[in-house]
Amino acid sequence: MKKRNKTAIALVAMALLVSACGGDDDSSDTTSGRIDRPATTAAATETTEASAETTAAPSVIAGGDSSRLTETTGTAPREPEVEEPRDTEFDDYGMNPFEDPIDEPLSTFAVDVDTGAYTLMRAWVNDGYLPDPESVRVEEYVNYFEGGYAAPEDSTFAVYADGGPAPFWDSRNDILRIGIQAREVANRQRQDVNLTLVVDVSGSMSDQGKLRMVKDSLEILIDELDRFDTVAIVSYNTNADLVLRPTSVSERDEIIDAIASLDAGGSTNAEAGLILGYDVADDSFQRDAVNRVMLLSDGVANVGNTGPGSILEQIGEQSRRGIDLVTVGVGISTYNDVLLEQLADQGDGWYAYVDTVDEAERLFQEQLTTSFETVARDAKVQVEFDPEYVDEYRLIGFENRDIADNDFRDDSVDAGDLNAGHSVTALYEVSLTRDAYRVDDSFATVRLRWTDAESGRAEEIEGTVGTGLLSDSFADTSPEFQLVSSVAAYAEVLRDSRWVRGLDLDEVLDEVEQLPWRDIEDDAAEEFADLLEQAVRLDR
């Protein structure tokens, strides 16, 4: 994925480094600050003005890449290339309601960097089917895309905010975007990786080229690892087997041969596979390295304990001593999204889905190897809305990441871990009072709290959000804001959200065709537009 041009992004950063303490002690010295628009440098001003000269013409706003979109909108729906997905398991987590800040001023949730729901949707649409509404988790659609947030250089996190009206929701409301960006670690500077691969080789993995996709993906991953990294491979079907002992990546041919030897058949004992995988990771644990277990599977489990909680309970302390779990899903039919997503959440890791070799390259070449290093554990966000200026609000997505408001500063409560370079975007729909636009006061306070992965200390930063950062129109917002708002609206329609009743995919496409495509250089964004076109045809 190409990097986006970030010269004209109207975001507001608060990178507030604080001293902090651990445990449940609430005596952290929390530095706070008001969020205002940053001053524009001369260089950025020149770039922005030059961009305005080239994008001011209506043909660019409504055209550019959008002219390509219009050409194919009227084409007939293609015939499905495969049978409709079957034997799938998803969970409906409901939808966040609007809250009155007089009664509920606080909104608290665990961070989440999963993207599996988005790529799973892509696989369904490309095969000729709209996704199951229960498979849609809005935050995973939104977080598939880059937010355009600059990484902090001297602190662990930077927190960003921007917003404005969006054509997909109540015209009286604004969409507030909160962005969190972790510091980056160059590949050459990262810690060594001790990686244990747990590969599902049960009979269901022989369908739809699932195991072939796993093998191709792992070869891409191995080529991206460093010679000082180590890899072990565990396979499981009815039972679990050690295929490859922990081996230096300098012995690449041996690792590739072990991957090639994997063959599918038998029942599915995910519990046995993960127990053996964690045992191997524990035996080879390296104190100064990143220790990871990676599960690659269609999520089906039919032998032993089959639920995420019971499986991780069997693993026990190993999953809590710094051996984190990444889950990677493959396949459409005979697929258990619930198990893979919940294993990652409860195993202090994250969940992705691979449907193509291109996605494997994006995940393993461009993202995974530079984000192996954990920088924060149990990261939580709390947004406090001022009832004097906010009539009501709702968090769009994150339904299964909700945390009790009074647990925000309880550092024993499990939340989300963030690795180097990770970013998180959260969207709120807010209804502001008239007074909010007349005064220069803040209407919300954003807090981020986490446990530092290296020191084990609790840290917290906060800043305030004022109406000065809200744009007057959707067209005046940043390209990144317009993109993720469109993606969120698409997800809301797909999951039949009651908050977008009356909105259909055709209307979302109409707005997407008007996005400033000249300023959006993200391949994933162009692909989203194509997927939306396909979804519109499938919905007719």
Side-chain angles (χ1 to χ4, degrees):
M1 187 186 302
K2 294 180 287 187
K3 299 296 288 184
R4 305 283 301 283
N5 185 336
K6 302 181 178 65
T7 54
I9 298 172
L11 296 176
V12 185
M14 55 177 184
L16 309 175
L17 183 63
V18 302
S19 60
C21 58
D24 297 338
D25 187 358
D26 189 23
S27 60
S28 302
D29 180 12
T30 303
T31 303
S32 62
R34 178 180 176 81
I35 306 181
D36 293 310
R37 290 189 180 276
T40 305
T41 63
T45 302
E46 292 173 3
T47 305
T48 305
E49 290 175 351
S51 175
E53 292 176 1
T54 59
T55 61
S59 59
V60 175
I61 296 174
D65 288 348
S66 65
S67 63
R68 167 186 56 77
L69 303 178
T70 306
E71 291 171 3
T72 60
T73 301
T75 60
R78 70 173 183 173
E79 292 297 321
E81 298 177 359
V82 298
E83 65 178 9
E84 186 171 0
R86 53 180 171 73
D87 299 327
T88 56
E89 186 170 343
F90 304 106
D91 204 347
D92 183 1
Y93 296 105
M95 297 174 196
N96 289 324
F98 273 97
E99 302 285 2
D100 185 337
I102 293 178
D103 302 317
E104 296 288 344
L106 300 175
S107 172
T108 309
F109 61 94
V111 299
D112 185 9
V113 296
D114 296 350
T115 59
Y118 181 83
T119 43
L120 184 60
M121 171 278 298
R122 182 176 64 196
W124 279 57
V125 171
N126 282 333
D127 279 347
Y129 300 96
L130 291 178
D132 187 320
E134 290 186 353
S135 74
V136 178
R137 292 183 290 275
V138 179
E139 70 277 8
E140 295 187 24
Y141 281 49
V142 168
N143 281 301
Y144 185 82
F145 299 87
E146 294 182 16
Y149 313 127
E153 295 182 0
D154 301 320
S155 58
T156 304
F157 291 109
V159 179
Y160 292 81
D162 66 349
F168 313 109
W169 291 279
D170 190 324
S171 60
R172 296 165 296 181
N173 295 348
D174 287 292
I175 301 300
L176 171 64
R177 178 172 69 145
I178 304 296
I180 299 166
Q181 178 65 56
R183 62 178 173 83
E184 295 178 343
V185 175
N187 193 36
R188 64 182 181 276
Q189 296 175 325
R190 68 166 173 82
Q191 294 175 293
D192 295 338
V193 174
N194 180 33
L195 181 62
T196 302
L197 303 171
V198 179
V199 183
D200 182 352
V201 293
S202 62
S204 64
M205 291 293 288
S206 64
D207 299 335
Q208 311 158 50
K210 295 177 184 177
L211 187 55
R212 179 72 266 166
M213 179 60 68
V214 167
K215 290 180 177 182
D216 291 343
S217 299
L218 290 181
E219 288 192 24
I220 292 170
L221 171 61
I222 298 307
D223 285 341
E224 292 303 309
L225 294 176
D226 188 88
R227 63 190 180 91
F228 297 109
D229 299 327
T230 59
V231 172
I233 301 176
V234 168
S235 68
Y236 69 90
N237 43 33
T238 308
N239 300 298
D241 296 296
L242 179 60
V243 177
L244 180 73
R245 73 191 193 291
T247 301
S248 169
V249 175
S250 62
E251 303 295 330
R252 178 187 181 279
D253 290 345
E254 184 178 354
I255 299 173
I256 297 300
D257 287 345
I259 294 171
S261 73
L262 298 172
D263 196 19
S267 299
T268 314
N269 194 336
E271 177 189 27
L274 281 171
I275 288 176
L276 179 56
Y278 270 96
D279 282 344
V280 172
D282 189 53
D283 290 343
S284 61
F285 188 88
Q286 300 176 32
R287 185 173 301 277
D288 296 325
V290 174
N291 297 274
R292 289 282 186 277
V293 172
M294 180 184 292
L295 172 66
L296 300 103
S297 171
D298 59 13
V300 174
N302 52 30
V303 176
N305 286 310
T306 59
S310 56
I311 289 175
L312 287 177
E313 185 177 341
Q314 292 298 313
I315 295 167
E317 290 299 321
Q318 294 169 345
S319 65
R320 292 185 288 275
R321 62 165 294 189
I323 304 175
D324 298 339
L325 177 63
V326 175
T327 61
V328 179
V330 291
I332 296 181
S333 290
T334 318
Y335 188 80
N336 189 334
D337 171 82
V338 177
L339 180 67
L340 293 173
E341 193 262 345
Q342 286 296 301
L343 278 174
D345 283 353
Q346 297 177 36
D348 295 329
W350 44 276
Y351 164 48
Y353 176 88
V354 173
D355 57 335
T356 64
V357 172
D358 286 343
E359 179 62 20
E361 291 176 347
R362 185 193 77 90
L363 180 66
F364 293 128
Q365 286 183 345
E366 301 172 23
Q367 293 188 345
L368 187 64
T369 54
T370 56
S371 63
F372 264 127
E373 187 172 330
T374 301
V375 297
R377 297 198 176 277
D378 297 323
K380 305 184 273 293
V381 176
Q382 185 171 86
V383 182
E384 182 173 2
F385 292 94
D386 188 338
E388 184 176 355
Y389 301 121
V390 179
D391 282 330
E392 59 180 3
Y393 69 89
R394 74 176 179 104
L395 175 60
I396 304 175
F398 290 92
E399 281 84 4
N400 69 333
R401 305 296 284 165
D402 180 65
I403 288 180
D405 296 331
N406 57 6
D407 284 340
F408 178 67
R409 292 194 175 94
D410 183 348
D411 300 314
S412 66
V413 172
D414 186 53
D417 292 2
L418 287 174
N419 292 353
H422 273 168
S423 64
V424 178
T425 296
L427 300 177
Y428 282 91
E429 183 176 1
V430 295
S431 176
L432 299 179
T433 65
R434 291 184 179 181
D435 287 342
Y437 297 100
R438 295 172 180 163
V439 299
D440 195 26
D441 289 342
S442 64
F443 66 85
T445 300
V446 181
R447 302 183 182 94
L448 172 65
R449 186 177 180 89
W450 71 95
T451 299
D452 183 80
E454 185 174 354
S455 69
R457 295 184 307 174
E459 300 188 12
E460 183 178 322
I461 57 177
E462 70 172 46
T464 57
V465 182
T467 54
L469 65 84
L470 300 179
S471 298
D472 293 331
S473 70
F474 188 60
D476 291 335
T477 60
S478 69
E480 287 81 3
F481 176 87
Q482 294 180 43
L483 174 62
V484 297
S485 295
S486 302
V487 170
Y490 171 64
E492 289 273 77
V493 174
L494 289 179
R495 71 171 180 165
D496 298 326
S497 170
R498 65 182 180 273
W499 305 119
V500 292
R501 292 277 165 77
L503 180 69
D504 58 35
L505 294 178
D506 279 293
E507 293 173 284
V508 178
L509 179 61
D510 288 342
E511 293 296 337
V512 167
E513 289 177 348
Q514 308 303 316
L515 294 183
W517 287 101
R518 184 185 297 269
D519 298 322
I520 300 176
E521 300 177 357
D522 192 339
D523 289 341
E526 296 177 7
E527 181 188 61
F528 163 67
D530 292 335
L531 288 169
L532 177 54
E533 283 183 338
Q534 294 183 59
V536 166
R537 296 196 294 271
L538 294 171
D539 197 36
R540 288 175 177 165

PDB file of all heavy atoms in Angstrom, residues 422-442:
ATOM      1  N   HIS A 422       1.114   0.959  15.136  1.00  0.00           N
ATOM      2  CA  HIS A 422      -0.330   0.756  15.074  1.00  0.00           C
ATOM      3  C   HIS A 422      -1.067   2.083  15.222  1.00  0.00           C
ATOM      4  O   HIS A 422      -0.630   2.982  15.941  1.00  0.00           O
ATOM      5  CB  HIS A 422      -0.791  -0.182  16.183  1.00  0.00           C
ATOM      6  CG  HIS A 422      -0.717  -1.626  15.809  1.00  0.00           C
ATOM      7  ND1 HIS A 422      -0.857  -2.654  16.732  1.00  0.00           N
ATOM      8  CD2 HIS A 422      -0.549  -2.238  14.613  1.00  0.00           C
ATOM      9  CE1 HIS A 422      -0.753  -3.821  16.115  1.00  0.00           C
ATOM     10  NE2 HIS A 422      -0.559  -3.590  14.835  1.00  0.00           N
ATOM     11  N   SER A 423      -2.201   2.181  14.564  1.00  0.00           N
ATOM     12  CA  SER A 423      -3.080   3.328  14.740  1.00  0.00           C
ATOM     13  C   SER A 423      -4.504   2.834  14.932  1.00  0.00           C
ATOM     14  O   SER A 423      -4.871   1.742  14.495  1.00  0.00           O
ATOM     15  CB  SER A 423      -3.006   4.285  13.551  1.00  0.00           C
ATOM     16  OG  SER A 423      -3.485   3.656  12.369  1.00  0.00           O
ATOM     17  N   VAL A 424      -5.302   3.646  15.603  1.00  0.00           N
ATOM     18  CA  VAL A 424      -6.704   3.324  15.876  1.00  0.00           C
ATOM     19  C   VAL A 424      -7.534   4.559  15.567  1.00  0.00           C
ATOM     20  O   VAL A 424      -7.164   5.676  15.941  1.00  0.00           O
ATOM     21  CB  VAL A 424      -6.923   2.922  17.352  1.00  0.00           C
ATOM     22  CG1 VAL A 424      -8.391   2.633  17.620  1.00  0.00           C
ATOM     23  CG2 VAL A 424      -6.068   1.723  17.718  1.00  0.00           C
ATOM     24  N   THR A 425      -8.643   4.355  14.886  1.00  0.00           N
ATOM     25  CA  THR A 425      -9.585   5.434  14.617  1.00  0.00           C
ATOM     26  C   THR A 425     -10.933   5.084  15.229  1.00  0.00           C
ATOM     27  O   THR A 425     -11.429   3.968  15.046  1.00  0.00           O
ATOM     28  CB  THR A 425      -9.758   5.679  13.111  1.00  0.00           C
ATOM     29  OG1 THR A 425      -8.523   6.132  12.550  1.00  0.00           O
ATOM     30  CG2 THR A 425     -10.833   6.726  12.840  1.00  0.00           C
ATOM     31  N   ALA A 426     -11.522   6.030  15.943  1.00  0.00           N
ATOM     32  CA  ALA A 426     -12.873   5.873  16.487  1.00  0.00           C
ATOM     33  C   ALA A 426     -13.716   7.058  16.025  1.00  0.00           C
ATOM     34  O   ALA A 426     -13.250   8.204  16.030  1.00  0.00           O
ATOM     35  CB  ALA A 426     -12.844   5.814  18.014  1.00  0.00           C
ATOM     36  N   LEU A 427     -14.941   6.769  15.615  1.00  0.00           N
ATOM     37  CA  LEU A 427     -15.861   7.800  15.142  1.00  0.00           C
ATOM     38  C   LEU A 427     -17.033   7.927  16.110  1.00  0.00           C
ATOM     39  O   LEU A 427     -17.599   6.925  16.554  1.00  0.00           O
ATOM     40  CB  LEU A 427     -16.395   7.460  13.747  1.00  0.00           C
ATOM     41  CG  LEU A 427     -15.374   7.314  12.620  1.00  0.00           C
ATOM     42  CD1 LEU A 427     -16.079   6.909  11.331  1.00  0.00           C
ATOM     43  CD2 LEU A 427     -14.582   8.592  12.416  1.00  0.00           C
ATOM     44  N   TYR A 428     -17.386   9.169  16.411  1.00  0.00           N
ATOM     45  CA  TYR A 428     -18.571   9.462  17.205  1.00  0.00           C
ATOM     46  C   TYR A 428     -19.524  10.321  16.375  1.00  0.00           C
ATOM     47  O   TYR A 428     -19.080  11.234  15.662  1.00  0.00           O
ATOM     48  CB  TYR A 428     -18.212  10.251  18.467  1.00  0.00           C
ATOM     49  CG  TYR A 428     -17.626   9.429  19.586  1.00  0.00           C
ATOM     50  CD1 TYR A 428     -16.251   9.250  19.691  1.00  0.00           C
ATOM     51  CD2 TYR A 428     -18.442   8.852  20.559  1.00  0.00           C
ATOM     52  CE1 TYR A 428     -15.701   8.509  20.726  1.00  0.00           C
ATOM     53  CE2 TYR A 428     -17.894   8.121  21.604  1.00  0.00           C
ATOM     54  CZ  TYR A 428     -16.534   7.949  21.682  1.00  0.00           C
ATOM     55  OH  TYR A 428     -16.000   7.212  22.713  1.00  0.00           O
ATOM     56  N   GLU A 429     -20.811  10.037  16.482  1.00  0.00           N
ATOM     57  CA  GLU A 429     -21.822  10.954  15.966  1.00  0.00           C
ATOM     58  C   GLU A 429     -22.290  11.800  17.139  1.00  0.00           C
ATOM     59  O   GLU A 429     -22.757  11.264  18.157  1.00  0.00           O
ATOM     60  CB  GLU A 429     -22.994  10.197  15.346  1.00  0.00           C
ATOM     61  CG  GLU A 429     -24.026  11.117  14.723  1.00  0.00           C
ATOM     62  CD  GLU A 429     -25.158  10.384  14.015  1.00  0.00           C
ATOM     63  OE1 GLU A 429     -25.153   9.130  14.028  1.00  0.00           O
ATOM     64  OE2 GLU A 429     -26.046  11.060  13.458  1.00  0.00           O
ATOM     65  N   VAL A 430     -22.145  13.119  17.018  1.00  0.00           N
ATOM     66  CA  VAL A 430     -22.461  14.008  18.137  1.00  0.00           C
ATOM     67  C   VAL A 430     -23.463  15.068  17.706  1.00  0.00           C
ATOM     68  O   VAL A 430     -23.405  15.588  16.587  1.00  0.00           O
ATOM     69  CB  VAL A 430     -21.193  14.692  18.703  1.00  0.00           C
ATOM     70  CG1 VAL A 430     -20.260  13.672  19.324  1.00  0.00           C
ATOM     71  CG2 VAL A 430     -20.470  15.483  17.630  1.00  0.00           C
ATOM     72  N   SER A 431     -24.380  15.356  18.603  1.00  0.00           N
ATOM     73  CA  SER A 431     -25.341  16.441  18.401  1.00  0.00           C
ATOM     74  C   SER A 431     -24.989  17.546  19.383  1.00  0.00           C
ATOM     75  O   SER A 431     -25.117  17.373  20.604  1.00  0.00           O
ATOM     76  CB  SER A 431     -26.767  15.938  18.647  1.00  0.00           C
ATOM     77  OG  SER A 431     -27.701  16.999  18.554  1.00  0.00           O
ATOM     78  N   LEU A 432     -24.513  18.656  18.848  1.00  0.00           N
ATOM     79  CA  LEU A 432     -24.058  19.759  19.697  1.00  0.00           C
ATOM     80  C   LEU A 432     -25.169  20.785  19.886  1.00  0.00           C
ATOM     81  O   LEU A 432     -26.031  20.970  19.019  1.00  0.00           O
ATOM     82  CB  LEU A 432     -22.841  20.439  19.068  1.00  0.00           C
ATOM     83  CG  LEU A 432     -21.599  19.556  18.870  1.00  0.00           C
ATOM     84  CD1 LEU A 432     -20.478  20.366  18.216  1.00  0.00           C
ATOM     85  CD2 LEU A 432     -21.123  18.969  20.185  1.00  0.00           C
ATOM     86  N   THR A 433     -25.133  21.472  21.018  1.00  0.00           N
ATOM     87  CA  THR A 433     -26.079  22.546  21.282  1.00  0.00           C
ATOM     88  C   THR A 433     -25.683  23.772  20.466  1.00  0.00           C
ATOM     89  O   THR A 433     -24.553  23.878  19.971  1.00  0.00           O
ATOM     90  CB  THR A 433     -26.094  22.906  22.769  1.00  0.00           C
ATOM     91  OG1 THR A 433     -24.814  23.448  23.128  1.00  0.00           O
ATOM     92  CG2 THR A 433     -26.380  21.669  23.627  1.00  0.00           C
ATOM     93  N   ARG A 434     -26.604  24.702  20.337  1.00  0.00           N
ATOM     94  CA  ARG A 434     -26.288  25.942  19.604  1.00  0.00           C
ATOM     95  C   ARG A 434     -25.169  26.705  20.301  1.00  0.00           C
ATOM     96  O   ARG A 434     -24.323  27.323  19.649  1.00  0.00           O
ATOM     97  CB  ARG A 434     -27.536  26.813  19.497  1.00  0.00           C
ATOM     98  CG  ARG A 434     -28.606  26.233  18.582  1.00  0.00           C
ATOM     99  CD  ARG A 434     -29.775  27.197  18.435  1.00  0.00           C
ATOM    100  NE  ARG A 434     -30.790  26.652  17.545  1.00  0.00           N
ATOM    101  CZ  ARG A 434     -31.920  27.288  17.220  1.00  0.00           C
ATOM    102  NH1 ARG A 434     -32.163  28.493  17.753  1.00  0.00           N
ATOM    103  NH2 ARG A 434     -32.785  26.732  16.402  1.00  0.00           N
ATOM    104  N   ASP A 435     -25.170  26.638  21.626  1.00  0.00           N
ATOM    105  CA  ASP A 435     -24.144  27.374  22.365  1.00  0.00           C
ATOM    106  C   ASP A 435     -22.738  26.846  22.067  1.00  0.00           C
ATOM    107  O   ASP A 435     -21.764  27.592  22.166  1.00  0.00           O
ATOM    108  CB  ASP A 435     -24.407  27.272  23.870  1.00  0.00           C
ATOM    109  CG  ASP A 435     -25.595  28.108  24.302  1.00  0.00           C
ATOM    110  OD1 ASP A 435     -25.989  29.003  23.525  1.00  0.00           O
ATOM    111  OD2 ASP A 435     -26.134  27.857  25.405  1.00  0.00           O
ATOM    112  N   ALA A 436     -22.634  25.584  21.706  1.00  0.00           N
ATOM    113  CA  ALA A 436     -21.312  25.007  21.445  1.00  0.00           C
ATOM    114  C   ALA A 436     -20.616  25.715  20.300  1.00  0.00           C
ATOM    115  O   ALA A 436     -19.385  25.825  20.275  1.00  0.00           O
ATOM    116  CB  ALA A 436     -21.448  23.521  21.135  1.00  0.00           C
ATOM    117  N   TYR A 437     -21.389  26.214  19.330  1.00  0.00           N
ATOM    118  CA  TYR A 437     -20.794  26.879  18.176  1.00  0.00           C
ATOM    119  C   TYR A 437     -20.553  28.373  18.424  1.00  0.00           C
ATOM    120  O   TYR A 437     -19.893  29.048  17.647  1.00  0.00           O
ATOM    121  CB  TYR A 437     -21.703  26.718  16.952  1.00  0.00           C
ATOM    122  CG  TYR A 437     -21.883  25.283  16.517  1.00  0.00           C
ATOM    123  CD1 TYR A 437     -23.026  24.572  16.867  1.00  0.00           C
ATOM    124  CD2 TYR A 437     -20.902  24.633  15.775  1.00  0.00           C
ATOM    125  CE1 TYR A 437     -23.197  23.247  16.476  1.00  0.00           C
ATOM    126  CE2 TYR A 437     -21.060  23.309  15.374  1.00  0.00           C
ATOM    127  CZ  TYR A 437     -22.210  22.620  15.732  1.00  0.00           C
ATOM    128  OH  TYR A 437     -22.370  21.306  15.344  1.00  0.00           O
ATOM    129  N   ARG A 438     -21.102  28.879  19.519  1.00  0.00           N
ATOM    130  CA  ARG A 438     -20.986  30.309  19.798  1.00  0.00           C
ATOM    131  C   ARG A 438     -19.819  30.635  20.720  1.00  0.00           C
ATOM    132  O   ARG A 438     -19.366  31.770  20.770  1.00  0.00           O
ATOM    133  CB  ARG A 438     -22.279  30.814  20.456  1.00  0.00           C
ATOM    134  CG  ARG A 438     -23.499  30.736  19.545  1.00  0.00           C
ATOM    135  CD  ARG A 438     -24.760  31.060  20.336  1.00  0.00           C
ATOM    136  NE  ARG A 438     -25.958  31.006  19.501  1.00  0.00           N
ATOM    137  CZ  ARG A 438     -27.197  30.915  19.978  1.00  0.00           C
ATOM    138  NH1 ARG A 438     -27.385  30.895  21.299  1.00  0.00           N
ATOM    139  NH2 ARG A 438     -28.223  30.874  19.157  1.00  0.00           N
ATOM    140  N   VAL A 439     -19.366  29.646  21.462  1.00  0.00           N
ATOM    141  CA  VAL A 439     -18.294  29.881  22.424  1.00  0.00           C
ATOM    142  C   VAL A 439     -17.045  29.130  21.998  1.00  0.00           C
ATOM    143  O   VAL A 439     -17.080  28.272  21.122  1.00  0.00           O
ATOM    144  CB  VAL A 439     -18.715  29.449  23.843  1.00  0.00           C
ATOM    145  CG1 VAL A 439     -19.922  30.239  24.302  1.00  0.00           C
ATOM    146  CG2 VAL A 439     -19.018  27.961  23.875  1.00  0.00           C
ATOM    147  N   ASP A 440     -15.971  29.426  22.659  1.00  0.00           N
ATOM    148  CA  ASP A 440     -14.688  28.797  22.310  1.00  0.00           C
ATOM    149  C   ASP A 440     -14.283  27.762  23.343  1.00  0.00           C
ATOM    150  O   ASP A 440     -13.109  27.530  23.578  1.00  0.00           O
ATOM    151  CB  ASP A 440     -13.602  29.880  22.180  1.00  0.00           C
ATOM    152  CG  ASP A 440     -12.363  29.357  21.478  1.00  0.00           C
ATOM    153  OD1 ASP A 440     -12.497  28.403  20.686  1.00  0.00           O
ATOM    154  OD2 ASP A 440     -11.263  29.890  21.732  1.00  0.00           O
ATOM    155  N   ASP A 441     -15.272  27.146  23.984  1.00  0.00           N
ATOM    156  CA  ASP A 441     -14.970  26.152  25.002  1.00  0.00           C
ATOM    157  C   ASP A 441     -14.912  24.757  24.373  1.00  0.00           C
ATOM    158  O   ASP A 441     -15.388  24.521  23.261  1.00  0.00           O
ATOM    159  CB  ASP A 441     -16.047  26.160  26.096  1.00  0.00           C
ATOM    160  CG  ASP A 441     -15.958  27.411  26.956  1.00  0.00           C
ATOM    161  OD1 ASP A 441     -14.901  28.062  26.932  1.00  0.00           O
ATOM    162  OD2 ASP A 441     -16.959  27.735  27.625  1.00  0.00           O
ATOM    163  N   SER A 442     -14.354  23.815  25.110  1.00  0.00           N
ATOM    164  CA  SER A 442     -14.299  22.436  24.639  1.00  0.00           C
ATOM    165  C   SER A 442     -15.626  21.744  24.932  1.00  0.00           C
ATOM    166  O   SER A 442     -16.303  22.066  25.905  1.00  0.00           O
ATOM    167  CB  SER A 442     -13.156  21.687  25.316  1.00  0.00           C
ATOM    168  OG  SER A 442     -13.376  21.605  26.710  1.00  0.00           O
TER     169      SER A 442
END
